Amino acid sequence: MKRLILLAAIALPLLCSAQYVSEVWSPDNGDGTYTNPVINADYSDPDVCVGASGEDYYMTASSFQCTPGLPILHSKDLVNWQIINYALGNLYEGDEALQQHFSTPRHGAGVWAPSIRYHDGWYYIYWGDPDFGVYMVKTQDPAGKWEPPVCVIKGQGYIDTTPLWDDDGRCYLVNAWANSRSKFASVLTVREMSPDGMRPIGEPVIVFDGNGTENRTCEGPKFYKRDGWYWIMCPAGGVPTGFQLAMRAKSPYGPYEHKIVLAQGKTAINGPHQGGWVHTKYGEDWFLHFQDKEAYGRVVHLNPVDWTSGWPVMGKKGEPVSTYRKPKSSSNVIVNPAESDVFDAPTLGKQWQWHANYDEKFGTATAFGTYRIYTYKLSDGWKNFWEVPNMLLQKTPADNFTVTTKLRFTSKADGQMGGLIMMGLNYAALVVKRVGKTFQLLQLTCKDADKGQPQTEQLIATLKPTAEDKIDYKPGIHEDIYLRFSVSYLGGSNPDGSPQHAAAVRFAYSADGKRFTEAGDTFTMRQGKWIGAKFGFVSVETDPKCDRGWIDADWIKVTK
């Protein structure tokens, strides 16, 4: 019998109701109120639209180089969200050269700050890839198949794109600019597109310039029309400490007047900005945006919007709320993005992403109630795991949580290793590594992986193999082990007085899943390149000629 307790605790809710409720963070208080963040995970640069029914809301977010890309989340009340799909598989399917380009981790590149819109029976997502141009995908069913990506504007520097279809059918596009590619920033431009949104037919016009003002780093614009006014809502002032601007004009090309409509004020919620406004069928207005929590990434908050002054004043008099009444809705279902997994399905759970374009040699589901991840062959002269594309990872789901997994590592040759990792610019992992006919349990730690710094190894224990192949044909040895880490919020303050969202990670292991032994040193979690730290599985090797080994991940559970 396989994991009866876990099947009862995890599989039945997932398979029968498809409504996952997190043990570590659920924003719905069950009394008609919610507590921010509504998603305590790194859904960076969120945008949202109201679906065709008026009862459904769809959110997407930046996914950078991770695949599948462009997550699609669904909610009935703007508080309870679940992951239902991805709009992209690999980057960029249909373009062989770009698919190959993203076959290795291009940290911080790829899909930046998307927008999602519903227009004339279709759902559209636009995004700017700062290296290649403005892209679009569309579908008539957000939970179904999205059409392949189309490049609507080719070039470098375009980011944070949003379309607006006007009352007369004309289409406009607003975007920001990436200084790292264009060598200028803090300006927003608007141009006219063809009515189908597929190509530009007008020249760009600078409609807002934040250079030399408190509105520096204006970016992430979202384009709307309300009561005859054209509205651009955008963040400014920098990611960790900035604020939300709203600007209005009678023409899409301006001139625009602007006001700050959301800022930290006296609250503990730093840098509340960049997101999407929705007007509900119940006549209410809400704004979903992110808060930069450093190692945890950019988590999603929900704030009410008050238009009585003629401006969209957000939160409570322009300051973000911590707890508030829920939006009016016909739903009272509590549901959260999935975390735990028993790997019993023939497809990978929606919470998982690879660190580059997926290749079937990375790993696949099995018929045995496990997910197999093959060892990736590290390059000659490798220093650390920054180059590894087949890390199977998910976002951190809360400030404090524990992750426990049961896995079997099968090794065909010396030097093969696999285990559990917390990945970022700095990373730490607890792995088993084959050395001769035994395994070493190692804590691997790397600081500044992005800068090519070497990782260090700490020997925790020497383990006898759990099993060994009896037939002498490419034999392997096997290690069954339970691995665990716990994340604890440390808090603190940065030198500028802003909150410091630091976290401690402590590892442990067990042979039977009951008695755990602490392993290695405490690690301070750190974000990745434009993304929060992510956790999951790593499986690698150093021998270019040997047969691959593999992890069979039996289950993983996220608990308090």
Side-chain angles (χ1 to χ4, degrees):
M1 291 188 300
K2 182 189 174 195
R3 311 187 300 283
L4 290 180
I5 294 176
L6 281 170
L7 281 171
I10 303 173
L12 287 179
L14 286 175
L15 297 176
C16 296
S17 67
Q19 293 169 353
Y20 181 92
V21 178
S22 173
E23 289 189 24
V24 296
W25 186 260
S26 185
D28 194 321
N29 297 321
D31 60 1
T33 68
Y34 69 92
T35 297
N36 273 316
V38 290
I39 306 178
N40 203 359
D42 182 41
Y43 287 92
S44 174
D45 314 316
D47 193 36
V48 62
C49 74
V50 183
S53 69
E55 294 277 3
D56 298 282
Y57 305 97
Y58 297 99
M59 182 195 300
T60 190
S62 297
S63 51
F64 299 99
Q65 88 282 357
C66 302
T67 65
L70 286 174
I72 306 298
L73 293 94
H74 171 259
S75 177
K76 288 284 190 179
D77 61 6
L78 297 172
V79 171
N80 291 279
W81 292 90
Q82 59 182 331
I83 315 169
I84 63 166
N85 200 6
Y86 287 87
L88 290 177
N90 281 343
L91 309 181
Y92 283 86
E93 291 176 342
D95 186 319
E96 186 174 342
L98 285 186
Q99 279 189 262
Q100 181 61 32
H101 176 78
F102 283 100
S103 66
T104 57
R106 303 287 178 176
H107 298 270
V111 179
W112 285 28
S115 61
I116 184 168
R117 292 292 179 267
Y118 177 71
H119 169 68
D120 198 22
W122 289 84
Y123 295 86
Y124 295 82
I125 297 177
Y126 283 73
W127 74 95
D129 182 313
D131 296 307
F132 300 107
V134 179
Y135 284 80
M136 180 269 286
V137 289
K138 66 178 183 176
T139 186
Q140 291 184 304
D141 177 13
K145 181 69 175 177
W146 290 72
E147 294 189 359
V150 175
C151 184
V152 298
I153 304 175
K154 190 174 182 179
Q156 288 189 323
Y158 301 105
I159 57 172
D160 307 352
T161 53
T162 305
L164 172 68
W165 279 275
D166 209 342
D167 304 329
D168 59 5
R170 297 170 75 176
C171 181
Y172 302 93
L173 189 79
V174 65
N175 69 275
W177 296 85
N179 188 73
S180 56
R181 275 71 165 183
S182 58
K183 299 307 176 185
F184 65 86
S186 295
V187 295
L188 308 179
T189 55
V190 170
R191 78 192 69 205
E192 186 169 3
M193 304 287 288
S194 56
D196 60 5
M198 294 290 287
R199 58 185 176 87
I201 60 174
E203 298 298 322
V205 176
I206 294 176
V207 298
F208 189 76
D209 185 353
N211 285 283
T213 74
E214 65 176 350
N215 299 319
R216 63 177 179 82
T217 324
C218 59
E219 56 187 359
K222 299 296 187 295
F223 218 170
Y224 308 98
K225 192 174 186 183
R226 181 183 186 273
D227 293 341
W229 290 90
Y230 295 89
W231 290 88
I232 295 175
M233 300 183 190
C234 78
V239 171
T241 57
F243 44 84
Q244 180 70 21
L245 290 176
M247 54 189 75
R248 68 183 184 184
K250 285 294 186 178
S251 163
Y253 299 112
Y256 284 86
E257 55 180 325
H258 65 275
K259 291 184 182 292
I260 295 176
V261 293
L262 182 67
Q264 178 175 350
K266 296 179 181 179
T267 75
I269 301 169
N270 61 290
H273 63 236
Q274 188 156 342
W277 161 56
V278 290
H279 179 73
T280 76
K281 67 177 291 185
Y282 300 97
E284 295 184 336
D285 296 278
W286 298 86
F287 184 67
L288 281 153
H289 64 91
F290 76 68
Q291 174 198 14
D292 188 339
K293 290 178 63 175
E294 297 176 313
Y296 295 99
R298 300 173 184 182
V299 305
V300 183
H301 286 241
L302 176 68
N303 272 280
V305 179
D306 180 5
W307 284 92
T308 56
S309 68
W311 290 86
V313 178
M314 299 169 178
K316 186 176 182 180
K317 297 181 179 180
E319 294 186 2
V321 299
S322 295
T323 300
Y324 201 74
R325 67 163 180 85
K326 290 174 58 179
K328 292 179 182 178
S329 167
S330 62
S331 173
N332 58 6
V333 174
I334 295 178
V335 63
N336 309 122
E339 302 150 355
S340 300
D341 203 337
V342 293
F343 301 112
D344 283 346
T347 56
L348 197 56
K350 297 290 191 296
Q351 64 268 52
W352 298 105
Q353 291 177 296
W354 302 98
H355 237 35
N357 274 351
Y358 171 68
D359 183 299
E360 290 178 1
K361 293 187 291 296
F362 289 178
T364 63
T366 75
F368 322 123
T370 62
Y371 196 90
R372 179 163 295 181
I373 307 163
Y374 288 103
T375 49
Y376 173 77
K377 293 182 179 295
L378 294 163
S379 66
D380 292 340
W382 71 279
K383 295 292 184 66
N384 61 54
F385 293 162
W386 195 248
E387 67 177 66
V388 177
N390 75 324
M391 281 189 281
L392 185 61
L393 307 175
Q394 63 170 287
K395 307 170 191 300
T396 61
D399 291 355
N400 300 286
F401 62 100
T402 297
V403 172
T404 307
T405 186
K406 180 186 178 185
L407 58 84
R408 165 170 279 203
F409 185 66
T410 297
S411 177
K412 297 283 188 174
D414 270 8
Q416 294 178 334
M417 67 187 91
L420 194 60
I421 190 168
M422 178 64 80
M423 185 66 192
L425 298 169
N426 300 348
Y427 67 77
L430 191 61
V431 303
V432 288
K433 178 181 179 180
R434 178 170 173 174
V435 180
K437 289 289 186 178
T438 65
F439 287 103
Q440 290 182 344
L441 182 67
L442 302 173
Q443 184 186 37
L444 308 176
T445 308
C446 184
K447 183 177 181 181
D448 296 328
D450 58 318
K451 298 177 181 177
Q453 295 299 309
Q455 69 181 19
T456 59
E457 295 185 359
Q458 181 181 350
L459 178 63
I460 306 300
T462 299
L463 308 171
K464 293 182 179 180
T466 306
E468 186 171 352
D469 291 344
K470 296 179 180 179
I471 297 175
D472 189 22
Y473 175 74
K474 298 183 177 180
I477 59 174
H478 313 276
E479 185 65 40
D480 296 332
I481 194 166
Y482 297 82
L483 301 177
R484 171 179 287 175
F485 67 78
S486 296
V487 172
S488 303
Y489 182 71
L490 296 176
S493 298
N494 291 309
D496 62 2
S498 63
Q500 186 180 73
H501 301 286
V505 182
R506 297 175 177 87
F507 288 94
Y509 70 101
S510 172
D512 59 9
K514 299 176 182 178
R515 297 178 298 274
F516 279 83
T517 301
E518 291 189 3
D521 298 324
T522 300
F523 169 72
T524 300
M525 195 167 76
R526 190 180 176 199
Q527 65 270 27
K529 181 69 171 178
W530 305 131
I531 63 176
K534 299 179 75 173
F535 70 89
F537 301 99
V538 63
S539 182
V540 297
E541 64 182 42
T542 55
D543 188 335
K545 296 181 179 180
C546 70
D547 290 347
R548 296 178 192 268
W550 60 82
I551 286 174
D552 279 330
D554 196 354
W555 50 261
I556 189 167
K557 190 170 184 185
V558 179
T559 59
K560 292 182 178 179

